[in-house]
Amino acid sequence: MSSTRPIDARGWLFEVQDTDADPNTWLPIAGINTFTHSPGENEETADTTAFESDGYYEQDVMQRGASLGIEGQYRIDKVSKAQDPGQAYVDTVWANLLGIDSRGMVRWRHNTQTSWVVWEATVTPGEQSGGNNDKTGWSATFTRCGAPTTAVVTP
């Protein structure tokens, strides 16, 4: 029997950096119940097929890209009625920035991992929706700008 096992999707953690606070202030995003990491998003290639390719396609990757989509439920504090700080930062601060100010930092990891994946990214807020017997939905898509980095998890 193999000693490797699949990990639970509910163990993923997502955070955004609050640039208005101390540079090391990361805000967890609550209420997430699904995510999609697309490591090939915005990839661009150049066709390098030539006669000597003997009829087989060839290419070089000229640009790498990636995106991270997170979805869940719009969350508020029961007492103060304030939106979850991570969601609120995305909705009310980051999503309103333009030009060179539109880039921010997002990081994520599984709770079994000892390093964060860290991106400089732009964010596109998603739709908030719901029906009669639903909870209100919340989502955002982060598009990586530049190369990814990592950071060690600190207590």
Side-chain angles (χ1 to χ4, degrees):
M1 177 189 268
S2 174
S3 63
T4 61
R5 300 285 302 145
I7 59 176
D8 296 335
R10 68 174 49 119
W12 287 95
L13 308 167
F14 304 92
E15 298 183 351
V16 291
Q17 187 177 35
D18 183 349
T19 57
D20 294 332
D22 178 281
N24 293 317
T25 301
W26 289 89
L27 304 172
I29 302 173
I32 305 305
N33 57 28
T34 186
F35 76 98
T36 303
H37 174 223
S38 300
E41 186 79 18
N42 297 317
E43 183 177 275
E44 295 290 337
T45 61
D47 184 338
T48 58
T49 308
F51 291 161
E52 60 268 17
S53 301
D54 294 325
Y56 291 94
Y57 178 77
E58 295 183 31
Q59 72 176 20
D60 288 341
V61 176
M62 303 304 290
Q63 172 181 296
R64 297 280 184 192
S67 68
L68 173 68
I70 56 175
E71 295 181 30
Q73 299 165 341
Y74 188 100
R75 292 288 174 102
I76 62 167
D77 181 274
K78 290 186 332 183
V79 176
S80 70
K81 307 300 184 218
Q83 185 182 11
D84 167 72
Q87 288 183 4
Y89 184 81
V90 169
D91 288 348
T92 63
V93 177
W94 195 352
N96 294 315
L97 301 175
L98 301 171
I100 62 173
D101 296 327
S102 66
R103 292 185 184 192
M105 302 299 287
V106 62
R107 69 182 184 180
W108 77 94
R109 70 178 178 92
H110 193 267
N111 61 17
T112 61
Q113 298 172 329
T114 58
S115 292
W116 293 96
V117 173
V118 182
W119 285 1
E120 181 178 23
T122 58
V123 69
T124 303
E127 296 177 353
Q128 295 172 2
S129 62
N132 268 351
N133 297 314
D134 297 334
K135 295 293 185 179
T136 301
W138 183 91
S139 64
T141 300
F142 302 92
T143 302
R144 190 181 75 207
C145 300
T149 61
T150 60
V152 174
V153 174
T154 56

